Amino acid sequence: MLFTVSRTRRLLQCVSRLLQCRYIQKGHTQTNGGLKKAISAFTSLCGEDGVSTGETVREQHGRDESVHRCRPPDVVVFPRCVEEVSALAKICYRHNLPIIPFGTGTGLEGGVGALKGGVCFSLRKMDQVLDVHQEDFDVTVEPGVTRKALNSYLRDTGLWFPVDPGADASLCGMAATSASGTNAVHYGTMRENVLNLEVVLADGSVVHTAGKGRRPRKSAAGYNLTNLFVGSEGTLGIITKATLRLYGIPEAVVSAVCSFPSVQAAVDSTVHVLQAGVPIARIEFLDDVMVDACNKFNSLSYPVTPTLFLEFHGTEDSLDEQVRTTEEITSANGGADFQWARDEGTRARLWKARHDAWYAALALRPGCKAYATDVCVPLSRLPHIIVETKEDLIQNGLTGPIAGHVGDGNFHCIMVLDPDDSDEVQRVHQFTERLARRALALEGTCTGEHGVGLGKRALLREEMGPGAMGVMQSLKESLDPKNLMNPGKVL
Amino acid sequence: MLFTVSRTRRLLQCVSRLLQCRYIQKGHTQTNGGLKKAISAFTSLCGEDGVSTGETVREQHGRDESVHRCRPPDVVVFPRCVEEVSALAKICYRHNLPIIPFGTGTGLEGGVGALKGGVCFSLRKMDQVLDVHQEDFDVTVEPGVTRKALNSYLRDTGLWFPVDPGADASLCGMAATSASGTNAVHYGTMRENVLNLEVVLADGSVVHTAGKGRRPRKSAAGYNLTNLFVGSEGTLGIITKATLRLYGIPEAVVSAVCSFPSVQAAVDSTVHVLQAGVPIARIEFLDDVMVDACNKFNSLSYPVTPTLFLEFHGTEDSLDEQVRTTEEITSANGGADFQWARDEGTRARLWKARHDAWYAALALRPGCKAYATDVCVPLSRLPHIIVETKEDLIQNGLTGPIAGHVGDGNFHCIMVLDPDDSDEVQRVHQFTERLARRALALEGTCTGEHGVGLGKRALLREEMGPGAMGVMQSLKESLDPKNLMNPGKVL
């Protein structure tokens, strides 16, 4: 473990505070109304600058990037180490105060809203990369480390962490929401890339899901607790450390773009590319509306048809073959204008449309807000659901260009809406429910990567059925019997 | 879903039996001594040929391939459909009878022993491949389908299921034990390759871990129940159906063998191959003792030094580059005699030593039995632990050639011992405990792929610590409050 001076100082501060506050551990359980006492105990523990009840700070921590309305917590705490997180959680437990973990606030389903008030645990001060094991392809990070910060830290090691949901989210937040993104088709999602988690449970106890400090690349030792907490959205515990798999930075990267006469042709190409064993790193779909928006936003001139944006990672030689095979496949499926590029500048230009899709969609209606739907279906069902969804959008006069991680069967309609137009808000809501139910009818899921949060609790029940929901509820009750951990989310 | 004639007939039989036996559902709860009544109810449900109390049948179902002694169940039942499994489980629940799921009996940690008597559920009659979705790369299987049977069934589809633990185990059994094997380094373990499970819980209720019939390639919908049951070794429920990921059969395969001057050189080569991004499909290590045994068993003449057996999957062109890069890396690390082959016959000859390792080890001491240890450590720790383990074997006069899935840091000592020599049995036991503790001290696990079963419960506690063990115990109690599901295993 690397002990930097700042980390050592921070640890000493923590220990000193904990010694000062040991009386807290002996306090008796209060059933209600203990907020004031709790805040006083928080301040003894974390100092004045570690606790905030200011309106602005609370509001900043009561919303994410979704359209769900802000629900500020009663107080925000800024712990500096797991010992503080644990001590703070114990205080909350004693006073029956809800706990809402907060990473970067880049979630998309209202997961950080304080529905029942309570205490927001902002983890941004715990921002150290703790251990890089180059030969073992793993790293351990604190919860304030974002994916870009990690990749910047790793730059000289020849390694990187590839899971990329777009936003510069915290890695532990990404674990909490089971995030994935553009290159999950090759590198997997957070589910496949977390080796171990340190978690503080509702009662303040600290648990290591694969045993303390362990990091074998595989294990058959007992229940897979790591993947129980991955995707639990803060409802089972606070993730305070994550050990992640790393990968060698590819020797070379090629980007490509190809236009198709139909959604079916684009999806067929994707299936054939996967069947051919091309280890494609990203394969992204934009529909004609999205391409049109991107053209206008960036002064580009892509044909306004369904389009695939592709990326290949590998050695120079292997990329030639990957690109050749893919071009043959897309061509056989009616693809046209296959363009590819190897140098960084041209690659960036080629993919600019995909990278700016969100802003291009927003620019369709200046002053409006955007909300991204997030269904995922088996690959063969994609043409059907996309065609039906586009008809639905037109029929209901809604703006919702489509971008998708088509290699996983996962796509988003970027719904652009006027939040003050209650009729439109209502129509968007009804549309997203119809879309989710369409995915469920096609053996898919209502969320491929954004999670359930606030917005999809009813859909989750439809998706899982009473049996699986009963199991989830049992697990929740066994680990959080007081329902203090991010209450009102997921279940 | 494909309904074959045999499946339809079987379903009708099930429904008819269930109607005959509906009285069972209304019976009152019995607390003890209900075995006789239960057997009578089983027979009404499954017919005479669906229930056995014969000594031979019970003994066949009371052991796996480990050295743990046979613990026969009181009765073995052979359900034909999930409805029967559920009805049988309800009878067991009412009479408080333990339930032990049984696939092929190829486990290695005593997972099927009926420690407290009870009812063995042999699932071999549920042997249908239910759905193959070629375009979606998935399949659903009943619990009696083995991996070889599935791959034989899939032969004409261009797809295969790659997880290969050696034995021709049932796929649901492999899910239950979180199996992996030689090509996990490329294709992942069962944890990464199960999309959905149908599970019968202790009370007989039927749950679909990702919702009934769902099969998106990724999901962020609620808790990851699938991976809670994967690796739960029958202690949380009976897996009655599994939906699995499939892969395109590689266009070409190359096998290779290379000898090294030291364990360190072999492991360094492995790390460098992975760092270089070579998508190696298998990378297996044999120590000098194992190579010597294989030479003798198969009249081969490999240099008696640490050796890597490699396999590459890909297109013709990409394999050339993979092999070239790997040969350069092994050569730079002191590897010699790099041999490779593309045609099937030569490949089989080249890998014969690896494939026959188990029997070659046994042939070292004719008449003896074998027990495989199963630790897994971070890659960089492998040379240290292997060297120390070899010294330990020599010091204690034990026979334990080493074979390992070195790309995952997972290796086995194939302990060859005389089961009637109690002193040797004791020394082997002490050795395996020392080996596991050595792995724990090096941030690894006591089991990479065989599971905990009976043999590693104490080690699991050391590995996980009280916090994680407490969580596992809570989960078990919440899903199986009567402790009927495979009691005495894992926890």
Side-chain angles (χ1 to χ4, degrees):
Chain A
M1 188 181 288
L2 294 167
F3 274 98
T4 59
V5 173
S6 73
R7 185 169 155 74
T8 311
R9 189 185 306 128
R10 212 156 39 113
L11 268 175
L12 286 173
Q13 284 173 346
C14 288
V15 171
S16 143
R17 298 277 187 194
L18 286 168
L19 287 173
Q20 289 165 29
C21 295
R22 65 188 183 282
Y23 73 91
I24 294 168
Q25 313 300 329
K26 297 175 184 166
H28 65 286
T29 302
Q30 297 192 13
T31 49
N32 237 322
L35 183 63
K36 233 176 167 173
K37 284 186 189 166
I39 290 174
S40 156
F42 295 157
T43 310
S44 305
L45 195 67
C46 298
E48 292 287 346
D49 61 343
V51 182
S52 177
T53 53
E55 197 176 322
T56 313
V57 172
R58 290 193 299 111
E59 289 203 343
Q60 279 165 354
H61 290 81
R63 66 160 67 92
D64 57 12
E65 291 183 1
S66 70
V67 291
H68 293 289
R69 76 179 176 86
C70 183
R71 311 265 202 142
D74 297 312
V75 52
V76 184
V77 292
F78 299 88
R80 290 159 296 190
C81 58
V82 63
E83 293 79 6
E84 279 191 4
V85 175
S86 167
L88 289 165
K90 284 177 182 164
I91 298 166
C92 293
Y93 189 77
R94 190 167 327 116
H95 294 286
N96 296 312
L97 295 171
I99 293 172
I100 304 106
F102 190 99
T104 50
T106 47
L108 294 168
E109 283 300 339
V112 299
L115 299 193
K116 303 182 176 195
V119 185
C120 173
F121 282 52
S122 168
L123 301 157
R124 70 173 189 216
K125 287 189 179 175
M126 296 170 68
D127 62 354
Q128 299 293 299
V129 177
L130 295 181
D131 297 278
V132 179
H133 295 105
Q134 274 181 258
E135 287 198 320
D136 300 322
F137 303 88
D138 67 56
V139 65
T140 299
V141 295
E142 288 193 330
V145 179
T146 67
R147 66 176 184 87
K148 286 186 182 173
L150 174 63
N151 282 329
S152 162
Y153 186 97
L154 291 173
R155 198 177 292 142
D156 299 330
T157 64
L159 300 174
W160 73 311
F161 183 71
V163 182
D164 174 5
D168 188 22
S170 70
L171 293 152
C172 290
M174 285 166 60
T177 51
S178 202
S180 45
T182 48
N183 49 27
V185 66
H186 186 63
Y187 297 96
T189 73
M190 291 307 282
R191 289 185 176 191
E192 289 83 32
N193 286 293
V194 180
L195 295 175
N196 201 346
L197 293 172
E198 179 184 79
V199 179
V200 174
L201 301 183
D203 65 1
S205 59
V206 181
V207 165
H208 297 85
T209 55
K212 189 170 183 180
R214 312 215 166 277
R215 50 190 185 86
R217 283 170 74 80
K218 68 179 197 188
S219 168
Y223 304 153
N224 186 343
L225 299 184
T226 304
N227 267 326
L228 179 62
F229 285 93
V230 169
S232 65
E233 303 188 34
T235 64
L236 299 179
I238 308 162
I239 299 174
T240 52
K241 216 179 268 177
T243 302
L244 307 169
R245 269 177 186 259
L246 298 175
Y247 295 80
I249 293 174
E251 181 186 311
V253 175
V254 166
S255 301
V257 179
C258 186
S259 305
F260 291 87
S262 65
V263 178
Q264 183 78 51
V267 173
D268 284 350
S269 296
T270 305
V271 169
H272 297 160
V273 164
L274 295 175
Q275 270 171 346
V278 177
I280 193 128
R282 308 188 202 234
I283 186 160
E284 297 285 301
F285 169 88
L286 301 193
D287 78 342
D288 53 342
V289 181
M290 191 79 250
V291 171
D292 194 33
C294 291
N295 279 345
K296 286 172 182 151
F297 186 68
N298 280 312
S299 304
L300 299 167
S301 55
Y302 286 112
V304 180
T305 64
T307 303
L308 289 182
F309 288 73
L310 309 109
E311 196 170 280
F312 307 88
H313 294 175
T315 57
E316 300 283 351
D317 286 354
S318 75
L319 289 191
D320 286 344
E321 195 200 11
Q322 288 188 39
V323 173
R324 204 168 54 239
T325 306
T326 304
E327 188 170 5
E328 280 166 18
I329 288 170
T330 55
S331 170
N333 283 289
D337 302 308
F338 189 93
Q339 300 174 56
W340 64 271
R342 185 165 289 199
D343 72 285
E344 201 169 337
T346 320
R347 282 199 288 113
R349 268 205 304 286
L350 214 56
W351 262 64
K352 190 156 182 53
R354 173 63 189 93
H355 285 310
D356 289 343
W358 181 266
Y359 301 101
L362 269 173
L364 290 174
R365 295 178 62 190
C368 284
K369 289 218 162 188
Y371 166 75
T373 64
D374 174 41
V375 300
C376 187
V377 295
L379 295 187
S380 65
R381 310 306 181 94
L382 268 178
H384 180 82
I385 192 171
I386 289 180
V387 168
E388 219 173 82
T389 299
K390 287 171 71 65
E391 283 166 8
D392 190 344
L393 287 164
I394 291 167
Q395 270 169 23
N396 288 281
L398 296 171
T399 308
I402 293 174
H405 315 310
V406 74
D408 299 312
N410 182 206
F411 73 92
H412 313 290
C413 299
I414 305 178
M415 305 305 300
V416 187
L417 69 159
D418 175 358
D420 298 325
D421 179 344
S422 63
D423 176 63
E424 187 181 9
V425 169
Q426 178 66 7
R427 278 183 299 129
V428 167
H429 177 71
Q430 287 165 345
F431 164 81
T432 57
E433 299 245 313
R434 275 196 306 277
L435 172 55
R437 294 206 170 95
R438 216 171 278 139
L440 296 187
L442 295 171
E443 307 181 311
T445 173
C446 70
T447 172
E449 56 183 11
H450 295 173
V452 175
L454 259 181
K456 289 186 172 161
R457 289 170 300 170
L459 288 164
L460 181 70
R461 286 197 293 276
E462 291 177 37
E463 177 168 337
M464 288 294 159
M469 286 310 295
V471 172
M472 289 188 196
Q473 194 64 52
S474 296
L475 301 180
K476 167 76 173 172
E477 282 162 18
S478 74
L479 297 186
D480 179 21
K482 290 184 169 191
N483 190 25
L484 296 181
M485 290 305 315
N486 208 3
K489 310 298 166 53
V490 184
L491 300 176
Chain B
M1 187 179 292
L2 294 166
F3 274 97
T4 59
V5 174
S6 74
R7 184 167 158 77
T8 311
R9 189 184 307 129
R10 213 155 40 112
L11 268 176
L12 286 173
Q13 284 173 347
C14 288
V15 171
S16 142
R17 299 275 185 194
L18 285 168
L19 287 173
Q20 288 165 29
C21 296
R22 64 189 184 283
Y23 73 91
I24 293 169
Q25 313 300 328
K26 297 176 183 163
H28 65 286
T29 303
Q30 299 192 11
T31 49
N32 237 320
L35 182 61
K36 232 173 164 174
K37 284 186 189 167
I39 290 175
S40 155
F42 296 158
T43 310
S44 306
L45 195 68
C46 299
E48 292 287 346
D49 61 342
V51 182
S52 177
T53 52
E55 197 176 323
T56 313
V57 172
R58 291 193 298 110
E59 289 203 343
Q60 279 165 353
H61 289 82
R63 65 160 69 89
D64 57 12
E65 291 183 2
S66 71
V67 291
H68 293 289
R69 76 179 175 88
C70 183
R71 310 265 203 143
D74 296 313
V75 52
V76 185
V77 292
F78 300 89
R80 288 159 297 189
C81 59
V82 63
E83 293 80 5
E84 279 191 4
V85 174
S86 167
L88 290 165
K90 282 177 182 165
I91 298 166
C92 293
Y93 189 75
R94 190 166 329 117
H95 294 288
N96 295 313
L97 295 172
I99 292 172
I100 305 107
F102 190 98
T104 50
T106 46
L108 293 168
E109 282 301 339
V112 298
L115 299 193
K116 302 184 175 192
V119 185
C120 174
F121 281 51
S122 168
L123 300 158
R124 71 173 188 215
K125 288 189 179 175
M126 297 170 68
D127 62 354
Q128 300 292 301
V129 178
L130 295 182
D131 297 279
V132 180
H133 295 105
Q134 273 182 258
E135 286 198 321
D136 300 323
F137 303 87
D138 68 56
V139 64
T140 299
V141 295
E142 289 192 330
V145 179
T146 67
R147 66 176 184 88
K148 285 185 182 171
L150 175 63
N151 281 330
S152 162
Y153 186 97
L154 292 173
R155 199 177 291 142
D156 299 329
T157 64
L159 300 173
W160 73 311
F161 183 71
V163 182
D164 174 5
D168 187 22
S170 70
L171 293 152
C172 289
M174 285 165 60
T177 51
S178 202
S180 46
T182 49
N183 50 26
V185 65
H186 186 62
Y187 296 96
T189 73
M190 291 306 283
R191 288 184 177 192
E192 289 83 30
N193 285 293
V194 181
L195 295 175
N196 202 347
L197 293 172
E198 179 185 78
V199 179
V200 174
L201 301 182
D203 65 0
S205 59
V206 182
V207 165
H208 298 86
T209 54
K212 189 170 183 178
R214 310 215 166 279
R215 49 192 186 85
R217 285 170 73 80
K218 69 179 196 187
S219 168
Y223 304 154
N224 186 342
L225 299 185
T226 304
N227 267 326
L228 180 62
F229 285 93
V230 170
S232 64
E233 303 188 34
T235 64
L236 298 179
I238 308 162
I239 298 174
T240 52
K241 216 179 267 176
T243 302
L244 307 169
R245 269 177 186 260
L246 298 175
Y247 295 80
I249 293 174
E251 180 185 311
V253 175
V254 166
S255 301
V257 179
C258 185
S259 305
F260 291 87
S262 65
V263 178
Q264 183 78 50
V267 172
D268 284 350
S269 295
T270 304
V271 170
H272 297 160
V273 164
L274 294 175
Q275 270 170 346
V278 176
I280 193 129
R282 308 187 202 235
I283 186 160
E284 297 284 302
F285 169 87
L286 300 193
D287 79 341
D288 54 343
V289 180
M290 190 80 250
V291 171
D292 194 32
C294 291
N295 279 346
K296 285 173 181 151
F297 185 69
N298 280 311
S299 304
L300 298 167
S301 54
Y302 286 114
V304 180
T305 63
T307 302
L308 289 183
F309 288 73
L310 309 109
E311 196 170 280
F312 308 88
H313 295 176
T315 56
E316 300 283 351
D317 286 356
S318 75
L319 289 191
D320 285 345
E321 195 199 12
Q322 288 188 40
V323 172
R324 203 168 54 240
T325 306
T326 304
E327 187 169 6
E328 280 166 20
I329 289 170
T330 55
S331 168
N333 282 290
D337 302 309
F338 189 93
Q339 300 173 56
W340 64 272
R342 185 166 291 200
D343 71 285
E344 201 170 336
T346 321
R347 282 199 288 114
R349 268 203 304 286
L350 214 55
W351 262 63
K352 189 156 182 53
R354 173 62 190 92
H355 284 310
D356 289 342
W358 181 265
Y359 301 102
L362 269 173
L364 290 173
R365 294 179 61 190
C368 284
K369 289 218 161 189
Y371 166 76
T373 64
D374 173 43
V375 299
C376 186
V377 295
L379 295 187
S380 65
R381 310 305 180 94
L382 268 178
H384 180 83
I385 191 171
I386 290 180
V387 167
E388 220 174 82
T389 299
K390 288 172 70 65
E391 283 166 8
D392 190 343
L393 287 163
I394 292 165
Q395 271 169 23
N396 288 280
L398 295 171
T399 308
I402 292 174
H405 315 310
V406 73
D408 299 312
N410 182 206
F411 73 93
H412 313 289
C413 299
I414 304 179
M415 305 305 301
V416 187
L417 69 157
D418 175 359
D420 298 324
D421 178 345
S422 62
D423 176 63
E424 187 181 10
V425 170
Q426 177 67 6
R427 278 183 299 129
V428 166
H429 178 72
Q430 288 166 346
F431 165 80
T432 58
E433 300 245 313
R434 274 196 306 279
L435 172 55
R437 293 207 171 94
R438 218 172 275 138
L440 297 186
L442 295 171
E443 307 180 311
T445 172
C446 70
T447 173
E449 56 183 12
H450 295 173
V452 174
L454 258 182
K456 288 185 172 163
R457 289 171 299 172
L459 287 164
L460 181 69
R461 287 197 292 276
E462 290 178 38
E463 177 167 335
M464 289 294 159
M469 285 309 296
V471 172
M472 289 187 196
Q473 193 66 50
S474 296
L475 301 180
K476 167 77 173 169
E477 282 161 19
S478 74
L479 298 186
D480 179 21
K482 290 183 169 192
N483 191 24
L484 297 180
M485 290 306 315
N486 208 3
K489 310 298 165 52
V490 184
L491 301 176

